[in-house]
Amino acid sequence: MFKYYILALFLIAIDQVTKYIVVTRMEIGEQLELIPNFLYFTSHRNSGAAWGILEGQMWFFYIVTIVVVGVVIYFIQTNRDQPMLQLGFSFILGGAIGNFIDRILFQEVVDFIDVYIFDYNFPIFNIADSALTIGVILIIILILFEDSKGKGKIKN
Ligand SMILES: CCC[C@@H]1OC(=O)[C@@H](C)C[C@H](C)CCCCC(=O)CCC[C@@H](CC)/C=C/C=C(\COC)CC[C@@H](O)[C@@H](O)C[C@H](O)CNC1=O
């Protein structure tokens, strides 16, 4: 059971260490080419959510994040027989707290993973966003899979 919280802590640690390196080693706007035309590290700050929406609305982000953390902990506790589902929720937990720490400390989020998919420059994101997105996608797949099996064992 606690391994899901330890996983979330591990994700938070990786997220915060990578952000610390970006903040201390790179100027804002500085870019490191990792894979030409595909993957760069670009030091960026975002005071909003995905795509910079709701810029500066910190109280909204605090409230939503606290609600997300509460709901995720509840689901981790009530789905003990669904380890994959708990895994998805621990990814969301780690990601949400990772960005929450930035918002509390700096009122903005440190982003650095800059991906160009074909010629579309995807918004610059970070490890916390990746964990959140992986967690969301995993849970969606599990829910679809459960529904197709018709059992609907997910408790809520
Ligand atoms: C990933 C959730 C965003 C994350 O939400 C959080 O913190 C949560 C815990 C709290 C928010 C206040 C509430 C969620 C708003 C939902 C949302 O926004 C729709 C999301 C769709 C998503 C599919 C799930 C697409 C993907 C996007 C991106 C991530 O691609 C990997 C681009 C990220 C860049 O714009 C980067 O600048 C963002 C910056 O780092 C701050 N991050 C956040 O606000």
Side-chain angles (χ1 to χ4, degrees), residues 3-150:
K3 57 178 178 287
Y4 299 107
Y5 298 112
I6 291 162
L7 173 62
L9 281 175
F10 183 67
L11 291 169
I12 295 165
I14 297 176
D15 175 61
Q16 289 300 308
V17 164
T18 52
K19 287 170 176 175
Y20 178 78
I21 292 168
V22 169
V23 167
T24 54
R25 300 286 178 86
M26 293 178 75
E27 297 297 319
I28 291 184
E30 186 181 338
Q31 183 166 70
L32 280 178
E33 182 178 78
L34 297 176
I35 303 171
N37 303 318
F38 175 63
L39 180 62
Y40 298 80
F41 276 177
T42 308
S43 179
H44 177 73
R45 303 294 182 271
N46 180 359
S47 62
W51 289 282
I53 57 171
L54 297 167
E55 194 163 354
Q57 307 301 322
M58 280 306 135
W59 282 107
F60 173 78
F61 296 141
Y62 297 153
I63 291 162
V64 169
T65 304
I66 288 165
V67 168
V68 163
V69 167
V71 165
V72 162
I73 289 173
Y74 169 77
F75 276 116
I76 289 178
Q77 299 295 112
T78 54
N79 283 286
R80 293 169 195 252
D81 57 340
Q82 301 271 321
M84 286 304 285
L85 200 68
Q86 290 179 303
L87 185 71
F89 284 120
S90 57
F91 268 79
I92 293 175
L93 185 63
I97 294 172
N99 282 336
F100 187 63
I101 293 170
D102 282 29
R103 292 184 165 121
I104 295 281
L105 295 179
F106 315 118
Q107 284 72 53
E108 62 185 1
V109 176
V110 176
D111 292 319
F112 61 96
I113 304 172
D114 195 1
V115 174
Y116 287 77
I117 300 168
F118 303 115
D119 57 359
Y120 173 63
N121 181 8
F122 196 75
I124 304 173
F125 58 96
N126 56 38
I127 300 290
D129 297 329
S130 312
L132 272 160
T133 307
I134 290 165
V136 165
I137 291 168
L138 177 59
I139 286 165
I140 290 170
I141 290 169
L142 288 167
I143 289 172
L144 294 177
F145 184 67
E146 283 297 319
D147 286 348
S148 66
K149 278 202 307 187

